[in-house]
Amino acid sequence: MHATTDFVRDDASPGPAATAPPPAPRAAPAARAALDETTLVVRAQEGDVHAFEELARRHQDALFRVAVRVLGNRTDAEDALQEALLDAWKKIGSFRGEAAFSTWMYRIVTNRCTALLRRSRPTVPVSEVGEDVLASTGSRSPERAAEVDAEMAALSRVLGRLPDDQRTCWVLRELEGLGYAEIAEITGAGETAVRGRIHRARTALAEGMREWR
């Protein structure tokens, strides 16, 4: 399990907290869970760490899934997510709502992942690719299970050879289902560049997986 609610150190405070007015009394956990995202963001910007923890709780599964699929292993993904959440807490004052909060968080996480990828080149574990990519569902015979495992291993190898920018864009599009405009916002690239990266990734994957088609 990956925990995200104990990431704030004593010296880690959001940008505006030093000049913001004292935060309003904190709501109980059940009450916070019922608040809309905009209200939680405002409270977090006022220094309410529990409001930010609720935001993290709502988005952590999707963010962790992206980190695992981009980085290739759970340990690095957990580290990237924890550091990204700490970054987000410190920078929450800079969030202006020009994009969705989830988009803003995706960008911070993918930036952390990219920094880690620059230092290493992981091989994606078979279990982390996701059988949804291969459209393999339902019960399988032992023979079919072995075939699927081999196919997923092949897909992992091909993904591991993709350039970092292509891999990130492909994961966000094909595995997370995000639109091109949102991916452009997350990666800081133009939408045309995003489409090009995804096209090249798809071409490389099709070529690398030819024997499985």
Side-chain angles (χ1 to χ4, degrees), residues 162-179:
L162 289 178
D164 299 341
D165 56 356
Q166 292 182 27
R167 180 173 172 178
T168 298
C169 289
W170 185 87
V171 166
L172 292 172
R173 176 63 180 172
E174 302 296 341
L175 302 187
E176 297 303 311
L178 302 186

Side-chain angles (χ1 to χ4, degrees), residues 127-209:
S127 61
E128 305 298 356
V129 175
E131 294 189 17
D132 53 317
V133 182
L134 304 176
S136 300
T137 58
S139 59
R140 301 190 302 267
S141 66
E143 293 78 11
R144 177 55 183 159
E147 182 181 350
V148 168
D149 287 346
E151 187 174 357
M152 290 177 70
L155 177 61
S156 298
R157 289 192 295 272
V158 178
L159 277 175
R161 292 196 294 267
L162 289 178
D164 299 341
D165 56 356
Q166 292 182 27
R167 180 173 172 178
T168 298
C169 289
W170 185 87
V171 166
L172 292 172
R173 176 63 180 172
E174 302 296 341
L175 302 187
E176 297 303 311
L178 302 186
Y180 294 110
E182 188 173 7
I183 297 171
E185 179 71 25
I186 290 168
T187 61
E191 190 170 337
T192 299
V194 167
R195 289 179 179 275
R197 292 172 186 177
I198 293 172
H199 173 74
R200 289 190 291 276
R202 287 171 174 166
T203 300
L205 287 166
E207 177 65 26
M209 298 297 292

Side-chain angles (χ1 to χ4, degrees), residues 29-93:
R32 284 196 300 271
L35 293 175
D36 64 88
E37 192 162 278
T38 300
T39 300
L40 288 169
V41 169
V42 171
R43 291 192 177 188
Q45 290 177 325
E46 292 174 346
D48 186 347
V49 65
H50 297 290
F52 186 83
E53 287 173 347
E54 174 62 23
L55 289 168
R57 185 192 65 78
R58 293 182 184 186
H59 295 284
Q60 65 179 339
D61 288 346
L63 296 172
F64 182 70
R65 187 170 59 241
V66 167
V68 169
R69 287 167 164 173
V70 171
L71 291 171
N73 68 81
R74 299 182 68 87
T75 300
D76 285 348
E78 288 171 352
D79 290 344
L81 179 58
Q82 292 293 320
E83 291 298 319
L85 289 172
L86 184 57
D87 286 346
W89 169 245
K90 290 179 176 179
K91 298 174 182 176
I92 189 67

